[in-house]
C-alpha cells in the first residue's frame, strides 16, 4: 500500500476572517504562527476512482476530533472516547480556490488531540457523536452502477497539541481494492500478397471496443465497517451465496463505443469507461475470485475497411474466464490486461501492491 508522498502545501486561507498566517506560494514558504490558537486543517492530494487526465485534484473531506488530558494517549483513551471538538460531527472541510476551510473554526484548548479524516465527504453511514471508540464509516459498492463506485480514504493525526503546530496535516491511505482494464488497441497482422509471389504484407489492425462487460464470481464480502484507524481491521459482512456482481463498463446501447488507445502507440492504456469509473471492491480474502469478460469489438484495417467474420459481421464477440488466484488486498490495484491478436482476445492479471497515483495516467476519487 502506498502512502501519499506529495509535498503538503500550507494554504493561506482566510478562515472566517481569523487567519493571521501568510505564505508566499511562488517562493519559500513563509509561515507566521497565528496569534490566535486556531486549528488549521489541511490534506494532501485526494485522488479519484474515475479515470482522469492526470490533473492534481483536491476534494472535500470530513474530520472527527477528540481532545483529552495530557496524561492520556489515544491508545488508552479511545475505548470510551467520543468526538468532542467540532460542533457538527463529523466536521466538513471544503476545498475551494486552493484553500481548505471549515466553519466555525475552532481554537486549540489545553490537552492532547487526535483527529480522524475520511474521504469522500458524502458518506452518510458514519459513526455519530455518541458512539464511543474509534470512529468508522460503512461502505457497500453498487456493482450495477459504476458511477457510484467511490474510493475510500482515511487518515489519522494522533496525540498532538498546539505546542506541536497549529496545522493538522492528513496523510490519506486507500482502504479498498481497485480493478482497472488496460489494453492496446491494435495488433500486427501479416498475410501473403495475392498479387505478388513471395511478398508479405504487414498491416496494423486497429481495435475498436464496442461493448465491454465484466462479471466477478465468488465475491466474499459485500459491505465493510471501515475504522478510521488503520490499525483496527475492518469488519466485513459476507456476501450472499453465489454472489456474482456485474460491471457494465462500455455499452453499445448508449453509444459509448470508443478507441481504447487513440494515440495508437505501443503503450497500455486504460479503457475509458462509460462512467469513467474504476471497479472498486471491498478487500477480499479468498483466492478463488474469477472474472468473466465479454467484449465486442471491431477490427479496422489501415485503409479504413473493417474486417468481417464468416457471416459478414464486422462486430466480433469473445467471452473469457480469468481466475485471479490471489486475494484483493486493501490499498492494492489490479489490472485486467486485454491483448488482441488475429486469433482473438486473451486476458491476464497484473498486480500493483500500491496505488501509485503519481506514475499512473489516472487517479482516484
Amino acid at each position: 500500500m502506498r502512502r501519499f508522498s506529495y509535498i503538503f502545501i500550507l494554504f493561506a486561507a482566510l478562515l472566517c476572517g481569523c487567519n493571521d498566517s501568510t505564505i508566499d506560494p511562488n517562493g519559500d514558504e513563509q509561515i507566521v504562527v497565528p496569534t490566535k490558537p486556531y486549528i488549521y486543517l489541511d490534506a494532501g492530494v485526494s485522488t479519484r476512482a474515475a479515470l482522469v487526465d492526470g490533473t492534481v485534484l483536491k476534494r472535500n473531506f470530513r474530520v472527527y476530533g477528540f481532545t483529552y488530558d495530557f496524561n492520556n494517549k489515544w491508545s488508552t483513551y479511545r475505548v470510551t472516547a467520543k468526538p468532542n471538538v467540532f460542533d457538527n460531527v463529523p466536521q466538513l472541510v471544503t476545498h475551494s480556490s486552493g484553500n481548505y476551510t471549515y466553519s466555525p473554526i475552532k481554537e486549540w484548548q489545553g490537552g492532547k488531540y487526535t483527529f480522524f479524516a475520511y474521504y469522500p465527504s458524502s458518506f452518510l453511514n458514519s459513526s455519530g457523536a455518541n458512539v464511543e471508540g474509534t470512529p468508522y464509516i460503512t461502505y457497500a459498492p453498487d456493482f450495477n452502477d459504476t458511477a457510484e463506485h467511490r474510493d475510500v480514504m482515511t487518515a489519522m493525526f494522533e496525540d498532538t497539541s498546539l505546542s506541536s503546530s497549529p496545522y493538522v496535516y492528513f496523510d490519506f491511505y486507500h482502504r479498498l481494492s481497485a480493478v482497472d482494464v488496460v489494453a492496446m488497441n491494435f495488433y500486427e497482422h501479416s498475410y501473403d500478397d495475392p498479387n505478388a509471389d513471395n511478398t508479405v504484407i504487414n498491416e496494423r489492425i486497429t481495435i475498436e471496443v464496442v461493448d465491454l462487460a465484466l462479471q466477478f464470481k465468488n465475491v466474499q464480502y459485500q459491505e465493510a465497517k471501515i475504522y478510521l484507524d488503520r490499525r483496527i481491521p475492518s469488519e466485513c459482512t459476507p456476501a450472499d451465496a453465489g454472489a456474482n456482481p456485474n460491471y457494465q463498463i462500455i455499452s453499445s446501447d448508449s453509444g459509448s463505443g470508443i478507441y481504447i488507445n487513440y494515440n495508437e502507440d505501443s503503450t497500455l492504456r486504460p479503457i475509458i469507461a462509460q462512467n469513467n469509473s474504476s471497479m472498486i471492491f471491498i478487500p477480499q480474502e479468498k483466492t478463488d475470485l474469477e472474472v468473466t469478460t465479454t467484449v465486442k469489438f471491431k477490427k479496422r484495417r489501415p485503409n479504413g475497411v473493417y474486417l468481417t467474420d464468416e457471416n459478414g459481421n464486422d462486430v466480433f464477440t469473445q467471452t473469457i474466464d480469468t481466475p485471479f488466484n490471489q486475494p484483493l488486498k486493501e490499498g492494492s490495484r489490479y489490472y485486467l490486461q486485454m491483448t488482441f491478436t488475429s486469433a482473438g482476445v486473451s486476458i491476464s492479471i497484473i498486480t500493483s501492491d500500491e496505488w501509485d497515483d503519481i506514475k499512473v495516467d489516472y487517479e482516484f476519487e
Side-chain angles (χ1 to χ4, degrees), residues 146-222:
T146 55
E148 292 302 317
H149 296 162
R150 299 169 295 181
D151 186 13
V152 174
M153 305 182 74
T154 66
M156 181 179 179
F157 203 86
E158 186 177 14
D159 287 339
T160 188
S161 66
L162 176 62
S163 62
S164 302
S165 170
Y167 296 93
V168 178
Y169 305 106
F170 292 112
D171 197 6
F172 281 89
Y173 290 84
H174 299 283
R175 301 301 302 272
L176 301 176
S177 305
V179 177
D180 290 306
V181 181
V182 294
M184 294 182 184
N185 76 329
F186 66 88
Y187 66 87
E188 301 292 342
H189 177 59
S190 300
Y191 62 94
D192 294 331
D193 188 347
N195 300 316
D197 293 337
N198 300 319
T199 301
V200 176
I201 295 179
N202 297 311
E203 62 180 6
R204 173 175 289 188
I205 303 299
T206 299
I207 300 298
E208 299 176 21
V209 173
V210 176
D211 186 276
L212 178 61
L214 297 101
Q215 182 182 57
F216 286 83
K217 301 176 183 177
N218 303 322
V219 173
Q220 182 178 10
Y221 299 123
Q222 65 182 6

Side-chain angles (χ1 to χ4, degrees), residues 57-89:
L57 299 169
K58 293 179 179 290
R59 291 291 184 266
N60 303 341
F61 60 93
R62 289 187 182 270
V63 178
Y64 289 91
F66 299 80
T67 183
Y68 41 95
D69 188 85
F70 272 112
N71 295 322
N72 283 329
K73 291 185 178 180
W74 172 253
S75 58
T76 56
Y77 173 71
R78 69 183 181 187
V79 177
T80 58
K82 293 182 180 181
N84 57 3
V85 174
F86 302 110
D87 293 336
N88 297 316
V89 178

Side-chain angles (χ1 to χ4, degrees), residues 8 22 40 50 73 92 144 164 168 181 200 210 242 266 284 297 302 316 335 355:
F8 293 143
T22 60
Y40 291 83
K73 291 185 178 180
L92 176 64
N144 296 307
S164 302
V168 178
V181 181
V200 176
V210 176
S266 59
Q284 307 286 316
F297 57 98
F316 296 80
Y335 301 93
W355 289 1

Side-chain angles (χ1 to χ4, degrees), residues 57-363:
L57 299 169
K58 293 179 179 290
R59 291 291 184 266
N60 303 341
F61 60 93
R62 289 187 182 270
V63 178
Y64 289 91
F66 299 80
T67 183
Y68 41 95
D69 188 85
F70 272 112
N71 295 322
N72 283 329
K73 291 185 178 180
W74 172 253
S75 58
T76 56
Y77 173 71
R78 69 183 181 187
V79 177
T80 58
K82 293 182 180 181
N84 57 3
V85 174
F86 302 110
D87 293 336
N88 297 316
V89 178
Q91 176 65 52
L92 176 64
V93 181
T94 59
H95 183 267
S96 178
S97 302
N99 301 315
Y100 278 113
T101 62
Y102 71 97
S103 178
I105 189 169
K106 294 295 183 179
E107 294 185 16
W108 290 93
Q109 306 298 326
K112 287 183 180 180
Y113 289 74
T114 287
F115 298 94
F116 294 95
Y118 67 84
Y119 173 87
S121 62
S122 55
F123 272 102
L124 300 178
N125 297 323
S126 55
S127 51
N130 293 320
V131 175
E132 293 183 345
T134 301
Y136 59 83
I137 56 177
T138 56
Y139 175 82
D142 181 354
F143 291 106
N144 296 307
D145 186 357
T146 55
E148 292 302 317
H149 296 162
R150 299 169 295 181
D151 186 13
V152 174
M153 305 182 74
T154 66
M156 181 179 179
F157 203 86
E158 186 177 14
D159 287 339
T160 188
S161 66
L162 176 62
S163 62
S164 302
S165 170
Y167 296 93
V168 178
Y169 305 106
F170 292 112
D171 197 6
F172 281 89
Y173 290 84
H174 299 283
R175 301 301 302 272
L176 301 176
S177 305
V179 177
D180 290 306
V181 181
V182 294
M184 294 182 184
N185 76 329
F186 66 88
Y187 66 87
E188 301 292 342
H189 177 59
S190 300
Y191 62 94
D192 294 331
D193 188 347
N195 300 316
D197 293 337
N198 300 319
T199 301
V200 176
I201 295 179
N202 297 311
E203 62 180 6
R204 173 175 289 188
I205 303 299
T206 299
I207 300 298
E208 299 176 21
V209 173
V210 176
D211 186 276
L212 178 61
L214 297 101
Q215 182 182 57
F216 286 83
K217 301 176 183 177
N218 303 322
V219 173
Q220 182 178 10
Y221 299 123
Q222 65 182 6
E223 184 177 76
K225 177 190 288 186
I226 302 172
Y227 288 96
L228 304 191
D229 184 344
R230 292 176 59 248
R231 295 169 297 189
I232 302 177
S234 299
E235 297 177 6
C236 297
T237 302
D240 296 332
N244 295 312
N246 295 295
Y247 282 91
Q248 186 77 22
I249 298 182
I250 297 168
S251 174
S252 56
D253 296 336
S254 59
S256 53
I258 47 82
Y259 298 107
I260 53 180
N261 179 0
Y262 46 82
N263 292 326
E264 298 196 12
D265 60 24
S266 59
T267 305
L268 286 173
R269 300 288 183 178
I271 286 184
I272 308 302
Q274 176 181 344
N275 293 304
N276 295 332
S277 295
S278 302
M279 292 162 279
I280 298 296
F281 285 86
I282 294 168
Q284 307 286 316
E285 295 179 354
K286 295 172 63 177
T287 60
D288 59 352
L289 186 70
E290 295 183 358
V291 59
T292 297
T293 305
T294 301
V295 57
K296 296 181 179 181
F297 57 98
K298 293 183 178 183
K299 304 178 180 181
R300 178 167 53 85
R301 299 179 64 178
N303 61 4
V305 176
Y306 290 93
L307 297 178
T308 59
D309 62 17
E310 61 274 11
N311 297 317
N313 298 317
D314 63 359
V315 176
F316 296 80
T317 302
Q318 190 164 344
T319 299
I320 311 103
D321 292 319
T322 307
F324 267 73
N325 295 323
Q326 58 188 307
L328 298 185
K329 296 185 296 183
E330 178 181 299
S332 293
R333 300 179 66 165
Y334 302 83
Y335 301 93
L336 210 67
Q337 178 177 320
M338 303 180 64
T339 302
F340 294 89
T341 67
S342 57
V345 185
S346 63
I347 301 289
S348 59
I349 305 297
I350 303 173
T351 303
S352 175
D353 288 333
E354 56 189 30
W355 289 1
D356 193 336
D357 301 301
I358 298 175
K359 297 179 181 178
V360 297
D361 293 332
Y362 38 102
E363 300 176 353

